[in-house]
Amino acid sequence: AKLFSEIIRKLPDNDVVIDVDNEYKANITCENAKFNIIGRDGDDFSYLPEIKKEKSISISQFSLKEVIRQTIFSIDDKNNNKLMTGELFEINGSELKVVALDGHRIAIRKIDLKDNYNTQKVIVPGKTLNDISKILSGEADKDVNIYFTKNHIVFEFDNTVVVSRLIEGEYFRIEQMLSNDYETKFSINKREFI
């Protein structure tokens, strides 16, 4: 797939013709460019698992993309502790809370949902969220439907379906890490701070 996408990226901006012969050799041509890739029988392909879509939420593509952007920097994708390589998605009524931490910092983002939902907590791999944020259009008037099962999460938007396994385990108790008993508090203009 990586080789195929690199070939397509380098091709001229014109029609691409892909022919596959009986031995699964793919011939890719576009104007004067010609490439050959050895393929495999499509029956060998591991298809997406069958997911029962029962529990779900709906959120705008813009909101999901922003939530990921504002929290993903706090995951630790090289940590041996799997929980730190993902983000907690916690749904409580009409609120979605997304939490990421890497041992040095915590990113917490809360957003209001359009409807009320049953309480749900899942840990989504950071790699999945990174990939999704790249392919989301980010339009405010287009929604993403997110479905949860015991082991999987499904993102459906536009003509795209992304299925990912969830990270198993009990996420860190963030409330115990954060104190409300601060000695110093101050407000600052956001634009000046940035």
Side-chain angles (χ1 to χ4, degrees):
K2 188 176 181 187
L3 177 64
F4 181 67
S5 68
E6 285 173 6
I7 287 171
I8 298 300
R9 196 178 302 125
K10 291 176 184 174
L11 290 175
D13 188 14
N14 208 333
D15 289 345
V16 177
V17 178
I18 303 171
D19 289 315
V20 181
D21 64 19
N22 295 341
E23 296 172 355
Y24 308 113
K25 187 167 89 174
N27 301 305
I28 304 165
T29 54
C30 180
E31 291 181 6
N32 296 329
K34 292 181 182 170
F35 294 91
N36 297 317
I37 300 179
I38 304 301
R40 288 171 55 183
D41 187 344
D43 293 334
D44 296 342
F45 191 78
S46 57
Y47 288 92
L48 296 175
E50 197 66 40
I51 304 290
K52 282 187 180 177
K53 298 174 185 173
E54 292 168 353
K55 299 175 185 173
S56 71
I57 65 167
S58 185
I59 182 173
S60 77
Q61 289 195 29
F62 174 79
S63 296
L64 182 59
K65 193 166 183 146
E66 279 297 287
V67 162
I68 293 170
R69 183 184 67 80
Q70 293 169 345
T71 56
I72 201 74
F73 65 89
S74 277
I75 66 161
D76 186 354
D77 53 1
K78 293 174 180 65
N79 200 305
N80 289 336
N81 186 336
K82 280 278 188 204
L83 297 176
M84 287 190 181
T85 65
E87 293 193 358
L88 173 70
F89 273 48
E90 183 177 350
I91 298 114
N92 199 347
S94 62
E95 182 185 80
L96 168 65
K97 180 165 79 172
V98 178
V99 181
L101 63 86
D102 65 2
H104 301 286
R105 56 194 170 183
I106 300 175
I108 302 172
R109 182 77 166 81
K110 296 178 184 175
I111 59 167
D112 292 326
L113 299 169
K114 298 170 191 170
D115 295 307
N116 274 309
Y117 299 96
N118 293 332
T119 301
Q120 178 87 18
K121 281 185 185 183
V122 295
I123 305 166
V124 186
K127 187 176 185 321
T128 300
L129 295 173
N130 256 325
D131 291 343
I132 283 181
S133 70
K134 288 176 190 170
I135 54 179
L136 281 169
S137 68
E139 294 177 47
D141 59 344
K142 289 190 173 179
D143 284 348
V144 179
N145 292 317
I146 306 173
Y147 301 91
F148 306 97
T149 69
K150 187 173 183 285
N151 298 315
H152 293 90
I153 187 167
V154 180
F155 297 87
E156 279 188 2
F157 53 95
D158 299 331
N159 294 318
T160 305
V161 178
V162 178
V163 178
S164 173
R165 284 192 67 84
L166 294 169
I167 297 173
E168 294 177 25
E170 185 71 30
Y171 203 73
F172 309 99
R173 297 181 184 211
I174 302 302
E175 295 76 19
Q176 293 177 356
M177 297 178 187
L178 300 174
S179 168
N180 291 323
D181 189 22
Y182 300 113
E183 290 181 15
T184 307
K185 259 187 188 178
F186 64 92
S187 296
I188 188 169
N189 180 286
K190 184 172 132 185
R191 186 165 280 124
E192 288 177 18
F193 187 52
I194 289 171

